Amino acid sequence: MKSATMSASSMTILVVDDEEDVSRVVSAILKRHGYGVVCAGSALNALGEWRAHRAVVDLVLTDFHLRGPTANELVAAIRHEGGDVPFLLMTGAMS
């Protein structure tokens, strides 16, 4: 993991959401604030994107309620492969 004092322009965030509209909005906001963004529409795709970009991904921002493999399973898979990247789980669920 990189230094906590990094600027937004040097950080890359892997955004994981199975709702394309949410992913698009979150990505646009992050990009507007200077972050690099890699997107994935599922936990399986996110694992592939993390493998491809693990050297530059500083944070994984994922929907908690993914269809298919869950966010918790994504965290476990990345940890199993030795990834120590921080995760931030989000949800729009009302219950």
Side-chain angles (χ1 to χ4, degrees):
M1 187 169 67
K2 298 179 187 174
S3 168
T5 60
M6 295 169 48
S7 68
S9 64
S10 64
M11 291 185 70
T12 299
I13 300 174
L14 173 54
V15 175
V16 187
D17 202 303
D18 51 12
E19 294 185 39
E20 188 176 335
D21 291 341
V22 173
S23 182
R24 188 173 332 147
V25 168
V26 170
S27 296
I29 291 168
L30 292 171
K31 288 177 183 177
R32 189 173 325 130
H33 288 279
Y35 294 95
V37 177
V38 177
C39 291
S42 70
L44 290 176
N45 289 344
L47 187 56
E49 292 294 343
W50 178 79
R51 287 173 178 152
H53 303 283
R54 71 185 293 167
V56 297
V57 171
D58 301 294
L59 173 73
V60 178
L61 175 59
T62 182
D63 181 16
F64 182 73
H65 296 287
L66 295 171
R67 292 183 283 270
T70 66
N72 288 335
E73 291 170 320
L74 174 61
V75 172
I78 289 177
R79 293 290 183 256
H80 179 74
E81 293 190 11
D84 66 350
V85 63
F87 281 79
L88 181 60
L89 281 66
M90 62 181 172
T91 185
M94 298 301 287
S95 59

